[in-house]
Amino acid sequence: MYYLIMCRSLTYGQRVANVLERAGIPARLMRSPAEISPTGCSYSVKVAARNLSRAMTVLNRTGLPYLGIYVGSNGYGYQEVTV
């Protein structure tokens, strides 16, 4: 299981991924899947489920904006979650 932190642009996605990586949290930048981004313009940062709590602490401390958090399971789609 993994989580996607959806960002409004490539630039913000890169910033989020870089901040997480510097904090020692593995993060991968990717285009947001079509089912969670109908306009196709957003990017997401993928983090493992075990790292989400730490990732959110880092993001809240830095104040970087994000559009939403989605949980994903291989082959089962995505669902928005609140943390």
Side-chain angles (χ1 to χ4, degrees), residues 4-78:
L4 296 180
I5 303 168
M6 190 164 72
C7 303
R8 67 179 178 207
S9 67
L10 175 59
T11 301
Y12 278 105
Q14 289 170 330
R15 289 177 184 171
V16 167
N18 287 336
V19 163
L20 295 179
E21 288 284 340
R22 282 196 307 267
I25 302 168
R28 191 180 116 220
L29 181 65
M30 58 186 275
R31 267 197 175 275
S32 296
E35 63 188 272
I36 64 171
S37 177
T39 61
C41 298
S42 67
Y43 282 78
S44 292
V45 177
K46 184 177 181 178
V47 295
R50 68 180 175 276
N51 295 325
L52 181 65
S53 177
R54 231 175 49 172
M56 296 313 301
T57 300
V58 169
L59 288 181
N60 289 333
R61 196 174 333 133
T62 61
L64 283 171
Y66 56 90
L67 298 176
I69 310 275
Y70 294 83
V71 62
S73 295
N74 293 328
Y76 294 105
Y78 300 94

